[in-house]
């Protein structure tokens, strides 16, 4: 089973633009805050292969593996990524935009793509998209919380 992912999240927290730039300039360290990350490895000058620990429930699990090529604009407080073709069982692209708002940072995240080759029993196929989307939303929310904790420290 293949499934589309499309999520948008926002957050706001106390941080300086310089602290955000430091995170963007050490992108692999920032990416390692993502929950369920088994490992991340470089596959190009600005590209990484992600391997997530299996995600699932009720005996159905899927380990997401994908490649992404990142573009960081630390001066504008933005990072975006596009899929690396032929890497893994998913294609994900998106962006994170940080914006200075007085003494806090507002951020917006957008991720979209597709998970492929998920082994899902026929009886669970109707509920799987909702479950997977909610799971990814929770993972991104936890990533944002970890990022907030790091930059607010």
């Amino acid at each position: 089973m293949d499934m589309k992912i499309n999520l948008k999240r926002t957050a706001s927290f106390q941080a300086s633009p310089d602290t955000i730039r430091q995170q963007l300039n050490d992108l692999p360290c920032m990416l390692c805050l993502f929950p369920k990350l088994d490992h991340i490895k470089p596959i190009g000058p600005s590209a990484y292969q992600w391997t997530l620990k299996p995600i699932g429930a009720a005996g159905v699990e899927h380990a997401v593996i994908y490649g992404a090529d990142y573009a960081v604009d630390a001066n504008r407080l933005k990072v975006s990524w596009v899929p690396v073709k032929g890497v893994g069982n998913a294609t994900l692209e998106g962006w994170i935009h940080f914006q200075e708002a007085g003494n806090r940072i507002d951020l917006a995240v957008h991720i979209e793509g597709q998970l492929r080759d998920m082994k899902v029993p026929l009886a669970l196929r109707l509920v799987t998209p909702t479950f997977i989307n909610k799971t990814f939303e929770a993972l991104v929310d936890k990533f944002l919380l970890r990022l907030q904790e790091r930059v607010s420290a």
Side-chain angles (χ1 to χ4, degrees):
M1 175 179 182
D2 293 353
M3 203 198 91
K4 292 191 182 293
I5 297 283
N6 190 347
L7 67 91
K8 296 176 182 175
R9 309 307 274 173
T10 59
S12 183
F13 47 79
Q14 301 286 82
S16 72
D18 287 339
T19 303
I20 299 301
R21 283 186 192 91
Q22 290 171 354
Q23 295 300 308
L24 292 172
N25 286 326
D26 190 0
L27 189 61
C29 187
M30 185 177 101
L31 298 177
C32 285
L33 295 172
F34 199 84
K36 290 276 197 180
L37 180 64
D38 185 33
H39 63 275
I40 188 169
K41 69 177 183 179
I43 56 173
S46 59
Y48 298 90
Q49 178 179 309
W50 289 60
T51 301
L52 298 181
K53 294 175 183 168
I55 300 168
V60 178
E61 292 186 328
H62 186 67
V64 176
I65 301 168
Y66 72 97
D69 193 3
Y70 291 84
V72 174
D73 185 340
N75 289 330
R76 296 182 64 206
L77 303 175
K78 297 180 180 183
V79 61
S80 59
W81 59 95
V82 294
V84 175
K85 292 183 181 187
V87 177
N89 59 10
T91 52
L92 297 172
E93 64 184 286
W95 47 260
I96 304 174
H97 294 178
F98 300 87
Q99 184 171 359
E100 188 174 4
N103 63 349
R104 70 178 199 279
I105 294 289
D106 293 337
L107 71 83
V109 178
H110 179 77
I111 301 170
E112 63 182 75
Q114 185 171 28
L115 306 180
R116 295 185 304 276
D117 305 324
M118 296 174 57
K119 307 297 183 228
V120 179
L122 190 56
L124 297 176
R125 289 193 178 189
L126 285 176
V127 297
T128 297
T130 300
F131 173 78
I132 293 295
N133 274 303
K134 292 294 182 193
T135 300
F136 265 85
E137 286 175 0
L139 291 174
V140 170
D141 288 346
K142 188 163 187 173
F143 167 75
L144 295 177
L145 181 62
R146 288 177 175 177
L147 180 60
Q148 176 183 355
E149 290 169 351
R150 177 177 284 176
V151 299
S152 298

